């Protein structure tokens, strides 16, 4: 992140705009400076990197104890403590074998509660 801003978990995950299920990556836009970043949500950590040759290469990892994820057909659910954020799948992505696209899509991000937590910053918590 170019501007070095700090965020609480709810501010950070609400800035996630869409989930690419094929590459298993989440697109994020900094609410302060507008820079865009791609990341992978992994159990207990965030992986930052770049799409390359049809895959996403994680180059930097940030530990986030308690972070969990659940992949769905049309979204990625991210949870931390008692909060859940739903990141919708972008329409127009290639359909993987054995799945069918749904005519319904939601661009809205939702969270079930605002967690108490320390500020977030790429490169460390």
């Amino acid at each position: 992140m170019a501007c070095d801003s700090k965020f609480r978990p709810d501010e950070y995950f609400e800035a996630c705009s869409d989930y690419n299920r094929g590459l298993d990556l989440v697109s994020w836009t900094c609410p302060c400076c507008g820079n865009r970043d791609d990341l992978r949500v992994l159990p207990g950590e965030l992986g930052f990197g770049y799409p390359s040759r049809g895959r996403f290469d994680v180059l930097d990892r940030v530990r986030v104890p308690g972070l969990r994820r659940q992949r769905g057909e049309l979204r990625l659910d991210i949870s931390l403590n008692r909060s859940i954020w739903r990141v919708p799948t972008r329409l127009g992505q290639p359909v993987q074998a054995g799945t069918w696209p749904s005519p319904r899509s939601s661009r809205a991000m939702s969270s079930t509660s605002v967690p108490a937590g320390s500020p977030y910053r790429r490169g460390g918590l």
Side-chain angles (χ1 to χ4, degrees):
M1 176 179 342
C3 69
D4 251 355
S5 295
K6 295 180 181 182
F7 302 96
R8 292 187 332 241
D10 60 313
E11 295 169 324
Y12 190 86
F13 291 119
E14 285 176 3
C16 295
S17 57
D18 58 69
Y19 173 58
N20 182 324
R21 195 174 195 286
L23 292 177
D24 192 24
L25 66 86
V26 173
S27 295
W28 180 84
T29 304
C30 177
C32 294
C33 70
N35 282 339
R36 187 178 174 279
D37 211 352
D38 293 318
L39 61 112
R40 180 169 287 155
V41 177
L42 300 163
E45 64 184 14
L46 295 174
F48 295 90
Y50 302 94
S52 174
R53 298 183 182 151
R55 52 177 271 157
F56 184 75
D57 293 329
V58 173
L59 304 174
D60 188 22
R61 295 173 188 260
V62 176
R63 290 194 33 80
V64 184
L67 184 68
R68 294 184 320 207
R69 57 176 263 143
Q70 177 67 45
R71 286 177 65 169
E73 288 296 317
L74 295 175
R75 71 177 190 232
L76 178 69
D77 293 343
I78 302 168
S79 61
L80 180 63
N81 301 326
R82 293 185 213 163
S83 298
I84 299 173
W85 298 271
R86 291 177 172 85
V87 184
T89 298
R90 181 179 357 146
L91 291 179
Q93 293 178 3
V95 177
Q96 294 180 341
T99 63
W100 295 95
S102 170
R104 298 181 316 186
S105 174
S106 169
R107 296 283 304 163
M109 174 67 69
S110 63
S111 65
T112 57
S113 66
V114 177
S118 60
Y120 257 57
R121 187 179 103 189
R122 183 174 174 188
L125 294 177

